[in-house]
Amino acid sequence: MSFKPNGLARAAVGFKPASFAGTFVALMMSALIVAACGVLLETGIRASVPAERYADAQVVAAADQSARVVADTVDGPEETAYPLPDTARVDAGLAAKAAEVPGAATSVPDLTFPVHGGTSAAGGLTGHGWGSHAFTGTALSKGAAPHPGEVVLDADAARTARVGVGDTVALETADGPAGFRVSGLAEAGAGDLAGEAAGEGTGGAGGTAWFADAEASVLAGHPGKADAVAVVAEDGVDPDALADAVGKALAGTGAQVLTGDDRGEVEDHGLAYAKETLFAVGGSFGGIATLVAVFTATGTVALSVGQRTREFALLRAVGATPRQIRRAVAAEALLVAPLAGLLGCLPGIGLAHWWFGQMRDRGAVPEAVEVHVSGFPLLAAVGVGLLTALGAGWAAGRRPARIRPGQALAEASVERLRPGVVRTVLGLAAVGGGSVLAGVAASAAGSDAANASLGVVMLFMLAVALLGPLLARLCAALFGLLLRGGGASASLAAANSRTNARRLASAITPIVLAMAFASTLVFMHTSESHVASEQLRAGVTADHVVTAPAGLPADAADRAARLPGVDAAVSLLDTQVLVPVRGGGETSLQGTATQGVSGPGAQLAEVQDLDVREGGLERLGPGRIAIDKTLATATDTGLGDKLPLHLPDGTKAAPEVVAVYGRGLGLPAVTMDRASLDGHVTSAFADTLLVSGGEAAPLTVLGEVTDASGYALAQNVDREFGAWANYTMAAVLGGFAAVAAANTLVMTVLDRRRELHTLRLVGSTRRQVLRMLGWESLLVSAAGVALGTAIAVITLTPMMRGLTGEFPHVPPLLHAAFATTAAALTLAAVTLPARTALRTRHG
């Protein structure tokens, strides 16, 4: 069948411009969503950062910064990589092997680690081995290179510490506090300035200190290890050839040999998490958004075709063949969809840039990463819109094209009371599937509950679309009982709604869509945040909480414990471990918040109430950990079992579970002794000090002091990015669905101009007609809000029971704001075009 636009298609576009304008808007909005998510997905796949610290080191050898899981699939073994929470390191001795490679001018084991200033050098510094000056551009301005026990400072650090060459400065490293003789002063090169900026995330931000290479790894807390090995090529040596030679020399050591922009990922670990974030937004959320866009555009196209049933019936009556009708519908899609898709791509690119910029401003994406725009996501956006228009048009035009002309004219005059059998069966099947998945989600935990709940909302939305006329007639009957007390206009609105259930369903479905998805995304966050806040406030029982941006001194807990009136003082190191969890029949590694405790578990219980359900914290120690009950369920682990996990730097461990507790959402889900993390984290300094008893004033020398409620407020602020991400996704989906709802309502009202003029001809005043439409809009918004809320509740209840063990937390004012917005949008989308239509004189 040829899709070349024929006379029927061109005439239809000119004769019914309102219907085609609505279709154009729907397809353009769907292209906008698909293009924006596609651009973010492609950016995540292609994201890279240029090397800064290693810009002059042509080859870098580093450990794999991912933990990998191999799963058996129908296509064979499939490997998935998960970024490590901290830096995986290589043997520093590899530098000597790499230096022997032909073409290598020098090879340096490189380290970056935080250093604490003593009383004479307040603040934090970023530490390196002096050998790194060979590729960073750092040069001595005074004095000599450091030997063991010596340090070179940059000018700012020396000025702050008030020391010069030959003086002694007190510094604290992972090896403990010590005095170092200042052997020289240096001007940091571009590479070390980049390293200092990276050090802000690990505690070092006030300057740079260079130590002797022989002791740098010990001071960093990783004896014999290096973050990476930087290899500088001789003049004229090709970097790729050198990389091949270094790779052969280091074969079997587990080191990866990197060149080009791949070097940047070694120094900026945020890139791996940025890729995950962009993939989650562009891929996972993008897939849902694309389904919603297609779902909504399909309904709009079907409405546009359905509004022209009378025209199709007349065409059949005057001799048009079914083939000509189908060809006309397909050709109409070709006239509208490509242009709508192309125009939708432009704001889609703008939305992607804004969204990406917001993530970068919030630290989720490194500054050096740029948006990548190519033709692939734009072509996909146009193609999706075209296929949607063709498919929806074919399905909607199938019946008017195949039935007899007489029957077509009859159906065009009076709406069919019964929906098709196939549509009803599929709708009931969707309801059954959603109910089954809701039961599965209720009995699951963690990610299994979340994954099942996603299927719940999609299936119930499909059911609303398929059973729309039946639901609309039911809603019209229920709300019509209330409308009967609102006068003649309200009664007429109720009668109209019952008689035109298909038209009512077309208006209700987008409202349901907007309400269901926006409520699910927003109230999922409010539910998690509510439970986490309650657990955090109940869990921190200490009188004082001490924090410091650069980390606390290593002896902070001991110093606090010696203060008058102090009953207990425990320092906590916050980090993450990777834990294998089962979800959807597959094993994945989940980054899990972890706290390393400085003192015995019994002492921790004096400053923190974890709500222990099984076992006890007194057995906490080397090889023994405590975990949250939700994590225990997700990992199928109980008291006395071994829990396999990856420590922050990727080292595998299998500690014994000695306690299971209930406050792992507000507090870290894994609790272990501090010593088990030594050598596996970049920063050796604790993040938090919990103190029970005593006064706050003496603790201010250690850091910023607050009480438990102030600490809980600060922790909630740290969750702002998660809240922003959920609200943004809700705004994108809800906004799209809201525009689709307004578009559908406008199309419906403009298609009723003949009906509205007839009402005016029989004596109804303009005010009465508008009041009738106002009551209809109220019915539409009330039905949409009720159904959307019901779907959200059915979705959220098992999800939150699995994730938090609690029922969803729905702030009444926030829900009321959603409902009010839906009502206002519906009223505006109905009355504004109606006023325009009624301005035309009747007679």
Side-chain angles (χ1 to χ4, degrees):
M1 179 176 64
S2 174
F3 290 138
K4 181 180 179 181
N6 57 15
L8 288 179
R10 289 190 293 270
V13 173
F15 183 69
K16 281 275 191 178
S19 292
F20 286 96
T23 300
F24 186 90
V25 170
L27 293 174
M28 185 177 71
M29 290 296 296
S30 68
L32 185 156
I33 293 289
V34 175
C37 293
V39 168
L40 291 178
L41 176 61
E42 185 175 18
T43 299
I45 293 173
R46 301 194 179 195
S48 64
V49 294
E52 295 182 353
R53 179 168 178 78
Y54 298 126
D56 292 331
Q58 290 76 17
V59 177
V60 173
D64 186 0
Q65 301 302 314
S66 301
R68 301 177 183 273
V69 173
V70 178
D72 292 327
T73 67
V74 292
D75 298 324
E78 182 176 309
E79 185 179 72
T80 305
Y82 299 88
L84 297 174
D86 211 308
T87 302
R89 296 172 176 84
V90 295
D91 186 347
L94 298 182
K97 289 185 177 181
E100 297 173 356
V101 172
T106 187
S107 179
V108 181
D110 186 45
L111 303 103
T112 299
F113 55 95
V115 178
H116 266 193
T119 57
S120 62
L125 306 174
T126 299
H128 300 292
W130 174 249
S132 63
H133 78 281
F135 60 86
T136 59
T138 297
L140 284 168
S141 58
K142 186 182 294 186
H147 292 91
E150 295 180 337
V151 65
V152 170
L153 300 175
D154 68 8
D156 290 338
R159 190 179 306 112
T160 302
R162 299 179 180 178
V163 294
V165 176
D167 294 335
T168 299
V169 61
L171 299 175
E172 184 178 5
T173 66
D175 196 42
F180 292 85
R181 177 181 175 273
V182 180
S183 67
L185 302 180
E187 294 293 332
D192 273 327
L193 290 175
E196 184 176 333
E200 294 180 11
T202 58
T208 309
W210 295 268
F211 300 90
D213 292 329
E215 66 177 356
S217 64
V218 176
L219 300 177
H222 313 104
K225 298 288 185 180
D227 295 350
V229 172
V231 184
V232 179
E234 294 178 346
D235 292 340
V237 174
D238 179 60
D240 292 332
L242 178 61
D244 290 339
V246 172
K248 292 177 181 178
L250 304 185
T253 63
Q256 295 181 333
V257 179
L258 309 169
T259 60
D261 284 349
D262 291 338
R263 297 169 298 167
E265 193 164 354
V266 176
E267 61 186 73
D268 192 343
H269 296 294
L271 179 61
Y273 288 98
K275 287 183 175 181
E276 278 199 341
T277 301
L278 290 168
F279 190 82
V281 173
S284 301
F285 172 74
I288 298 172
T290 299
L291 287 176
V292 171
V294 170
F295 185 82
T296 306
T298 298
T300 306
V301 173
L303 175 62
S304 174
V305 174
Q307 287 178 340
R308 288 176 289 125
T309 302
R310 185 187 303 274
E311 285 78 11
F312 291 142
L314 290 173
L315 289 172
R316 293 281 287 119
V318 297
T321 65
R323 176 185 174 87
Q324 288 175 318
I325 298 294
R326 289 194 298 268
R327 180 184 170 191
V329 172
E332 290 164 8
L334 287 178
L335 284 173
V336 176
L339 180 59
L342 290 173
L343 290 181
C345 287
L346 297 178
I349 295 173
L351 175 60
H353 275 86
W354 174 85
W355 205 338
F356 180 86
Q358 291 294 308
M359 289 190 285
R360 187 161 57 185
D361 291 345
R362 286 166 171 77
V365 177
E367 286 290 335
V369 178
E370 298 292 340
V371 177
H372 189 96
V373 181
S374 73
F376 293 109
L378 309 184
L379 183 62
V382 175
V384 166
L386 179 58
L387 292 176
T388 299
L390 288 171
W394 175 84
R398 185 166 171 265
R399 180 172 179 81
R402 70 176 181 176
I403 61 177
R404 294 188 300 273
Q407 186 180 356
L409 285 170
E411 289 192 0
S413 302
V414 181
E415 181 181 277
R416 283 191 302 153
L417 295 179
R418 292 183 302 174
V421 175
V422 174
R423 182 171 181 170
T424 302
V425 171
L426 291 177
L428 293 175
V431 171
S435 302
V436 170
L437 273 184
V440 171
S443 61
S447 59
D448 279 344
N451 293 335
S453 296
L454 175 62
V456 172
V457 69
M458 297 303 294
L459 284 172
F460 276 113
M461 281 307 310
L462 179 61
V464 168
L466 292 171
L467 302 177
L470 293 176
L471 292 173
R473 192 169 287 114
L474 177 62
C475 290
L478 293 176
F479 290 105
L481 296 176
L482 301 176
L483 292 180
R484 289 176 184 176
S489 297
S491 298
L492 185 57
N496 265 338
S497 300
R498 287 194 301 272
T499 305
N500 297 282
R502 290 180 181 274
R503 182 176 68 197
L504 182 65
S506 299
I508 289 176
T509 301
I511 299 293
V512 176
L513 186 73
M515 195 70 189
F517 274 105
S519 297
T520 299
L521 287 169
V522 171
F523 297 143
M524 178 175 68
H525 170 74
T526 59
S527 300
E528 288 184 329
S529 180
H530 177 71
V531 174
S533 297
E534 286 191 336
Q535 289 187 3
L536 182 60
R537 292 182 185 278
V540 179
T541 58
D543 298 305
H544 313 292
V545 181
V546 185
T547 57
L552 296 164
D555 61 348
D558 293 336
R559 289 163 63 180
R562 291 194 294 265
L563 294 174
V566 172
D567 300 320
V570 178
S571 63
L572 304 175
L573 175 67
D574 295 328
T575 184
Q576 282 192 340
V577 297
L578 296 180
V579 180
V581 298
R582 295 284 295 177
E586 297 181 357
T587 299
S588 61
L589 294 179
Q590 173 181 293
T592 306
T594 301
Q595 59 181 5
V597 183
S598 64
Q603 194 175 34
L604 176 65
E606 297 184 41
V607 294
Q608 198 178 73
D609 182 6
L610 291 171
D611 185 24
V612 176
R613 306 288 180 87
E614 298 179 70
L617 296 176
E618 62 278 356
R619 291 192 59 210
L620 204 66
R624 298 188 296 275
I625 64 172
I627 62 174
D628 173 62
K629 61 180 179 63
T630 303
L631 182 63
T633 302
T635 58
D636 194 23
T637 304
L639 198 65
D641 293 338
K642 299 281 187 178
L643 176 63
L645 52 81
H646 294 261
L647 294 173
D649 66 347
T651 302
K652 293 183 179 180
E656 178 189 355
V657 177
V658 297
V660 177
Y661 53 89
R663 293 199 172 111
L665 188 61
L667 299 171
V670 174
T671 299
M672 60 197 310
D673 71 305
R674 173 71 180 77
S676 297
L677 294 170
D678 286 341
H680 303 289
V681 291
T682 296
S683 176
F685 304 112
D687 301 276
T688 309
L689 175 64
L690 302 180
V691 181
S692 177
E695 300 294 329
L699 295 170
T700 55
V701 298
L702 300 175
E704 182 181 351
V705 183
T706 185
D707 57 13
S709 60
Y711 174 69
L713 178 62
Q715 294 296 100
N716 288 334
V717 170
D718 291 339
R719 297 190 180 98
E720 284 185 355
F721 178 76
W724 173 86
N726 270 31
Y727 287 146
T728 301
M729 289 187 288
V732 170
L733 271 185
F736 169 73
V739 171
N743 181 45
T744 301
L745 290 166
V746 170
M747 290 174 61
T748 302
V749 172
L750 292 179
D751 189 57
R752 297 172 62 187
R753 281 174 292 189
R754 181 181 301 174
E755 173 191 335
L756 300 181
H757 290 164
T758 301
L759 289 172
R760 294 283 282 117
L761 286 171
V762 298
S764 298
T765 66
R766 189 168 181 269
R767 184 176 181 181
Q768 287 174 325
V769 174
L770 290 175
R771 188 178 296 170
M772 178 200 73
L773 292 174
W775 283 112
E776 287 185 10
S777 71
L778 178 62
L779 191 154
V780 168
S781 59
V785 168
L787 289 172
T789 301
I791 292 174
V793 169
I794 294 172
T795 302
L796 284 171
T797 299
M799 180 193 295
M800 289 300 104
R801 294 291 292 175
L803 291 174
T804 68
E806 304 287 342
F807 286 99
H809 175 70
V810 179
L813 290 179
L814 190 55
H815 182 269
F818 285 176
T820 303
T821 301
L825 173 73
T826 305
L827 182 63
V830 169
T831 56
L832 293 179
R835 288 178 183 274
T836 302
L838 289 172
R839 287 197 190 104
T840 306
R841 295 183 63 87
H842 60 280

